[in-house]
C-alpha cells in the first residue's frame, strides 16, 4: 500500500511513436473539451480555469507551445486534457473507445484482473502545469508516455494536515505553502518522485498526489477496482466518489453533529470529544503502516 515508480516496463510503441506530429495525424480533428488556465496552478475548488473545445490536432500543437499566437485567455495560457466518456455523466473514460488508434500503441501493465478494470484516462498537459492535490478511491497507474513530471505525494494518514474540501486539498502551492493560512500543513510528510518518459507510478487508493508537468507531456492513467465491485458508487464515472460504506458513515456523522447542536456549547464540546475518542478507539490503525 505504498507508492512506487516502476522503470523499464514494456508499454508498447507509444513511448517512441507519440510525437506531436504523430498524435495530431493519428486522431485528426475530432473535437475535445479541454481545461484552459491563465496561471500554472490549476485549482478545482475555485475553478480558476475555463473549459473550451478545440479540434484534437489543433489542441496538441497548442499544448506543445510555450507562447501562443492563437489563444483564449493569454499568450502563455496552459492547456490540459483529461479524457472523458462519450457522455461524461454516464460513460467512463476508456482510451480504447475515445482514442482507438492511439490505444493500439499502448500495452498496459497487467497487475490486476481484467474484470477489475475501471478506466483508462488519456492526459495531455502543457509544460509548467500543476494539478491540485487530491486523492482517488481506486488504485491506479500513472503511465508517463512522453515528457517529464514531478509528483508530490502525501499519506492518507496526513489528511488532518491537508485542509480538505471533499477529495481535494485547499493547499495549491505545495512547494511554497501559505503557512499563515495553512499552519498544520508543515506536519504533512512529503514524498516526491520524478517521472521520465516510460516510467509508471503506482498510486495506491487514498494517497494524495500533486502533479507538476515539467515538460509538455502525454500520460495515461489506469484505474482498477481493488475492493469488491459492490463497494463502489455505481454513479461514479471518475473514480473519485468515496466508497458506499464511507459515504453512509459520513452522512451518519453529519446527523450526529447536527444533533449535538441542540446542546449548550460546553456539552457540545464534551460529547464531541467523546465521539472523537470512540472513533480513535474503534477505527484508527495502531501500526505505523
Amino acid at each position: 500500500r505504498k507508492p512506487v515508480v516502476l522503470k523499464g516496463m514494456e508499454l508498447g510503441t507509444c513511448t517512441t511513436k507519440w510525437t506531436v506530429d504523430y498524435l495530431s495525424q493519428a486522431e485528426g480533428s475530432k473535437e475535445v473539451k479541454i481545461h484552459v488556465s491563465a496561471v500554472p496552478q490549476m485549482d478545482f475548488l475555485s475553478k480558476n480555469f475555463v473549459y473550451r473545445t478545440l479540434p484534437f490536432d489543433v489542441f496538441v500543437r497548442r499544448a506543445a507551445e510555450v507562447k501562443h499566437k492563437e489563444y483564449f485567455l493569454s499568450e502563455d495560457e496552459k492547456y490540459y486534457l483529461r479524457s472523458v466518456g462519450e457522455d461524461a455523466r454516464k460513460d467512463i473514460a476508456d482510451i480504447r473507445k475515445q482514442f482507438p488508434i492511439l490505444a493500439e500503441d499502448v500495452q498496459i501493465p497487467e497487475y490486476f484482473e481484467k474484470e477489475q478494470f475501471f478506466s483508462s484516462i488519456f492526459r495531455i498537459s502543457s509544460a509548467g502545469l500543476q494539478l491540485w492535490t487530491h486523492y482517488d478511491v481506486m488504485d491506479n497507474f500513472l503511465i508517463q508516455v512522453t515528457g517529464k513530471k514531478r509528483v508530490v505525494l502525501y499519506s492518507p494518514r496526513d489528511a488532518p494536515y491537508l485542509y480538505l474540501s471533499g477529495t481535494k486539498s485547499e493547499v495549491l502551492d505545495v512547494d511554497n505553502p501559505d503557512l499563515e493560512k495553512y499552519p498544520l500543513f508543515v506536519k504533512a510528510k512529503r514524498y516526491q518522485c520524478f517521472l521520465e518518459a516510460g516510467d509508471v507510478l503506482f498510486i495506491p487508493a487514498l494517497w494524495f498526489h500533486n502533479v507538476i508537468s515539467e515538460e509538455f507531456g502525454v500520460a495515461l492513467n489506469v484505474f482498477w477496482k481493488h475492493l469488491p465491485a459492490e463497494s463502489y458508487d455505481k454513479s461514479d464515472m471518475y473514480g473519485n466518489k468515496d466508497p458506499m460504506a464511507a459515504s453512509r458513515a459520513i452522512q451518519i456523522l453529519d446527523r450526529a453533529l447536527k444533533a449535538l447542536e441542540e446542546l449548550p456549547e460546553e456539552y457540545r464540546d464534551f460529547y464531541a470529544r467523546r465521539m472523537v475518542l470512540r472513533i480513535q478507539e474503534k477505527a484508527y490503525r495502531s501500526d505505523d503502516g
Side-chain angles (χ1 to χ4, degrees):
R1 307 307 305 161
K2 299 281 181 71
V4 63
V5 177
L6 305 172
K7 291 183 171 287
M9 303 291 290
E10 180 51 60
L11 300 174
T13 58
C14 56
T15 52
T16 54
K17 287 174 73 173
W18 284 9
T19 63
V20 170
D21 286 341
Y22 175 78
L23 290 169
S24 301
Q25 293 165 8
E27 295 288 351
S29 59
K30 72 166 72 176
E31 290 200 328
V32 288
K33 188 176 182 181
I34 57 172
H35 302 66
V36 183
S37 176
V39 295
Q41 289 170 334
M42 292 181 66
D43 179 7
F44 200 82
L45 293 174
S46 70
K47 298 288 196 300
N48 66 344
F49 53 83
V50 295
Y51 291 105
R52 292 291 182 265
T53 301
L54 281 175
F56 181 72
D57 52 352
V58 174
F59 158 69
V60 170
R61 295 191 182 281
R62 277 211 209 175
E65 298 170 344
V66 177
K67 295 283 184 185
H68 311 294
K69 291 180 180 176
E70 295 183 60
Y71 51 83
F72 297 107
L73 304 174
S74 66
E75 65 176 7
D76 56 357
E77 65 192 14
K78 305 296 183 186
Y79 296 89
Y80 172 55
L81 168 67
R82 187 250 191 240
S83 66
V84 294
E86 285 71 16
D87 182 335
R89 293 166 299 178
K90 298 178 181 178
D91 300 317
I92 289 165
D94 186 340
I95 190 174
R96 294 168 297 185
K97 295 177 181 176
Q98 287 92 48
F99 298 92
I101 296 171
L102 295 178
E104 293 177 5
D105 302 333
V106 182
Q107 184 175 318
I108 294 172
E110 295 184 3
Y111 279 81
F112 53 92
E113 301 297 330
K114 284 183 170 57
E115 60 269 19
Q116 290 178 283
F117 171 84
F118 176 72
S119 65
S120 50
I121 300 161
F122 184 64
R123 301 182 191 268
I124 296 181
S125 303
S126 293
L129 184 77
Q130 182 172 11
L131 294 181
W132 52 91
T133 304
H134 67 284
Y135 71 88
D136 300 295
V137 300
M138 296 182 194
D139 286 354
N140 75 91
F141 281 138
L142 173 55
I143 301 170
Q144 190 63 28
V145 180
T146 70
K148 295 179 181 178
K149 277 193 175 81
R150 176 164 63 94
V151 185
V152 177
L153 303 109
Y154 300 95
S155 163
R157 288 198 165 189
D158 283 340
Y161 315 130
L162 297 179
Y163 296 87
L164 297 185
S165 177
T167 62
K168 303 162 189 70
S169 169
E170 293 180 12
V171 185
L172 284 185
D173 191 342
V174 294
D175 296 319
N176 298 289
D178 181 344
L179 295 180
E180 286 190 11
K181 191 174 182 181
Y182 308 113
L184 295 178
F185 187 70
V186 294
K187 295 187 177 184
K189 184 176 179 181
R190 172 191 178 113
Y191 298 83
Q192 179 170 279
C193 65
F194 293 87
L195 301 181
E196 306 276 344
D199 288 349
V200 178
L201 172 62
F202 168 58
I203 306 176
L206 309 183
W207 273 78
F208 296 89
H209 46 287
N210 181 290
V211 182
I212 303 100
S213 296
E214 301 207 320
E215 300 174 342
F216 164 78
V218 185
L220 183 67
N221 253 142
V222 181
F223 289 82
W224 65 92
K225 298 178 179 180
H226 67 289
L227 300 178
E230 61 271 16
S231 301
Y232 300 99
D233 187 328
K234 288 184 171 58
S235 68
D236 184 6
M237 297 296 109
Y238 290 86
N240 59 10
K241 288 189 177 182
D242 292 315
M244 300 290 282
S247 294
R248 290 197 306 273
I250 290 169
Q251 289 169 3
I252 293 166
L253 175 60
D254 286 341
R255 289 199 296 272
L257 293 171
K258 184 75 174 173
L260 287 184
E261 291 178 9
E262 298 174 17
L263 296 169
E265 183 180 21
E266 62 182 298
Y267 283 79
R268 193 164 63 239
D269 179 274
F270 173 72
Y271 287 104
R273 291 174 189 272
R274 279 195 60 187
M275 288 166 65
V276 169
L277 290 171
R278 286 285 295 275
I279 291 172
Q280 287 179 326
E281 178 188 334
K282 296 289 186 181
Y284 277 28
R285 288 168 60 182
S286 58
D287 61 288
D288 295 321

